Amino acid sequence: MRKKWSLIVPATLCIAMTIGACAKTEEKPTFTGDKTEIPAYQGNLDVIIPAAYSNVADLNLEPGTYISILGKDKNSAYWKNVKKGVEQAEKDLNAALGYKGEDRIKITFNAPDGEDIDEQVNILDEELSRYPDVIGIASIDEDAYNVQFDSAAENGIPIIALDSGNQYHGIQCTIKTDNVEAARTGAYKLANSIQDEGELLLVVWDSNSETAKERMNGFLSEIQETYPNVSVVETIFCDKLEETKKMIAEEDETSEIKAESLSDEDVIEYYLEKHPNIKGIFGTNADATQLALLALQKNEKTEDIVLMGFDAGKEQLDALEKGEIQGLVVQNPFGIGYASVVGAARTVLQIGNEAVVDTGYVWVTPENMEEEQYQNMLYR
């Protein structure tokens, strides 16, 4: 059944977007004279489930409400698009409520310079000292913030999660991709591309976040449950590459290889040499996919290896266009940012929240990447 689903995604997505657009036209028109324009970002909102998180209707916040959203990385294309979604929701909220000047709803987006846990904790501490009405956070480490969350609870500051969930019991709502199902999609796409037989490498960006664990487990489960002739021979964690480099150097009987001289791509190449029958690689986020891509580009002997992964930044889309990457799970970061503001507002208003809000994803290939229905989901 899952294979059949992959064939009807474009049609069902198109239908859902059409129905969603019709249902929301009266709620969220932008008027220019006597003509109604559908915003360019509307497609990103129409795939959000439940639909209540795709618009700012009836969010009657008090003037001056302060919402703080914390991402994982201020530099990546993915997180820049999350920020765009946050900023658009802020504009839409203030326009809907008619707030200007000091009455405006204030919504900030902050993130560390790269996925740095310590820096994100520091940002969280700073935001807590400003006493926002609610905080939304994409946790780099699902267990790293208990002290801060306890402090937030003591001061009446509720917490919602975005992109990644968190183990803290007081999280009000989580807005994210269905990571398990998305990773399963990647697994069967990759397995099918190698004719359901062969060895794979799985490259996981980190070993700490809930997102990484969900994607890893979703991918491995799909392979183990559905493809008896496909095996994942190595799972490589990118936050443990330095340890791996030391292991590689220790294995070298000539003592010529030094850990400090090895690049991250060298680690991937090491495993490709260790397993010469590798047919495919899957990366669980943009950085993991990019690392695998760089390793494959350095070695002409790997040109027949199929590379697939998550996310669609400029480098990944360029490689997709060239056929160096054969498929990508493309998330909806703009929708995540927008829905996070809606979830935060609902939390402040105490009007109830879904435990999990699904912001959707699509499967993009060199063949369909130029189709209009996918364009709004790409983030360059």
Side-chain angles (χ1 to χ4, degrees), residues 77-372:
Y78 177 90
W79 285 103
K80 287 178 180 178
N81 274 268
V82 173
K83 182 180 180 181
K84 289 179 182 178
V86 169
E87 291 172 343
Q88 187 61 55
E90 179 184 24
K91 292 178 183 177
D92 290 354
L93 260 177
N94 282 302
L97 295 170
Y99 291 162
K100 299 179 180 179
E102 294 183 358
D103 286 343
R104 289 179 61 83
I105 307 300
K106 179 183 178 183
I107 305 176
T108 60
F109 178 90
N110 294 288
D113 186 11
E115 294 197 14
D116 186 310
I117 296 173
D118 292 336
E119 186 179 352
Q120 191 183 49
V121 169
N122 290 337
I123 294 171
L124 178 56
D125 284 332
E126 291 174 5
E127 287 303 301
L128 286 171
S129 70
R130 297 185 176 99
Y131 295 96
D133 292 284
V134 59
I135 288 178
I137 183 170
S139 301
I140 296 173
D141 185 328
E142 63 180 351
D143 298 313
Y145 314 90
N146 288 346
V147 171
Q148 284 75 22
F149 290 166
D150 284 341
S151 175
E154 291 171 4
N155 288 283
I157 304 172
I159 304 289
I160 68 165
L162 60 139
D163 181 72
S164 291
N166 196 285
Q167 296 300 310
Y168 191 74
H169 66 275
I171 299 296
Q172 300 290 307
C173 177
T174 301
I175 292 96
K176 65 176 185 176
T177 307
D178 185 338
N179 289 302
V180 173
E181 187 59 31
R184 281 182 173 272
T185 296
Y188 76 71
K189 292 288 189 180
L190 183 51
N192 291 171
S193 74
I194 61 170
Q195 288 73 53
D196 301 348
E197 183 176 356
E199 297 179 346
L200 305 176
L201 288 183
L202 177 61
V203 185
V204 183
W205 183 246
D206 74 83
S207 56
N208 298 309
S209 71
E210 182 185 78
T211 294
K213 293 174 183 177
E214 288 177 339
R215 293 178 188 175
M216 177 184 69
N217 292 333
F219 187 93
L220 293 174
S221 295
E222 179 68 18
I223 295 298
Q224 293 164 2
E225 295 169 8
T226 313
Y227 300 96
N229 296 320
V230 178
S231 60
V232 178
V233 293
E234 297 284 354
T235 298
I236 304 166
F237 293 97
C238 295
D239 61 346
K240 296 184 178 180
L241 290 177
E242 296 307 314
E243 297 172 26
T244 307
K245 292 173 185 177
K246 292 178 182 178
M247 179 269 292
I248 294 172
E250 290 171 359
E251 284 185 356
D252 178 38
E253 295 179 356
T254 67
S255 299
E256 294 179 358
I257 297 176
K258 305 299 180 184
E260 57 271 19
S261 68
L262 294 172
S263 67
D264 292 348
E265 299 97 279
D266 289 334
V267 175
I268 305 298
E269 287 195 89
Y270 165 82
Y271 284 111
L272 290 173
E273 292 179 8
K274 182 178 179 181
H275 303 283
N277 296 319
I278 292 291
K279 289 187 177 181
I281 304 177
F282 190 82
T284 63
N285 78 345
D287 293 316
T289 305
Q290 186 67 15
L291 175 59
L293 174 65
L294 293 174
L296 293 177
Q297 288 174 334
K298 287 178 63 176
N299 192 335
E300 294 180 359
K301 296 179 181 180
T302 61
E303 61 183 8
D304 295 327
I305 294 176
V306 178
L307 174 60
M308 295 180 174
F310 261 81
D311 293 326
K314 184 182 185 303
E315 293 85 359
Q316 291 75 52
L317 291 175
D318 289 345
L320 192 70
E321 191 172 19
K322 295 175 183 176
E324 295 175 324
I325 295 176
Q326 286 73 40
L328 293 168
V329 173
V330 178
Q331 301 179 85
N332 183 13
F334 183 96
I336 289 175
Y338 198 102
S340 296
V341 172
V342 175
R346 293 176 67 90
T347 299
V348 173
L349 294 169
Q350 298 182 356
I351 56 177
N353 263 317
E354 293 290 323
V356 178
V357 176
D358 183 357
T359 51
Y361 69 92
V362 292
W363 181 254
V364 179
T365 67
E367 292 72 33
N368 70 17
M369 65 182 296
E370 298 301 329
E371 294 179 20
E372 184 177 353

Side-chain angles (χ1 to χ4, degrees), residues 49-70:
I49 300 173
Y53 290 81
S54 68
N55 64 85
V56 297
D58 301 321
L59 298 177
N60 299 314
L61 295 167
E62 292 292 324
T65 299
Y66 177 24
I67 296 171
S68 175
I69 305 293
L70 278 65

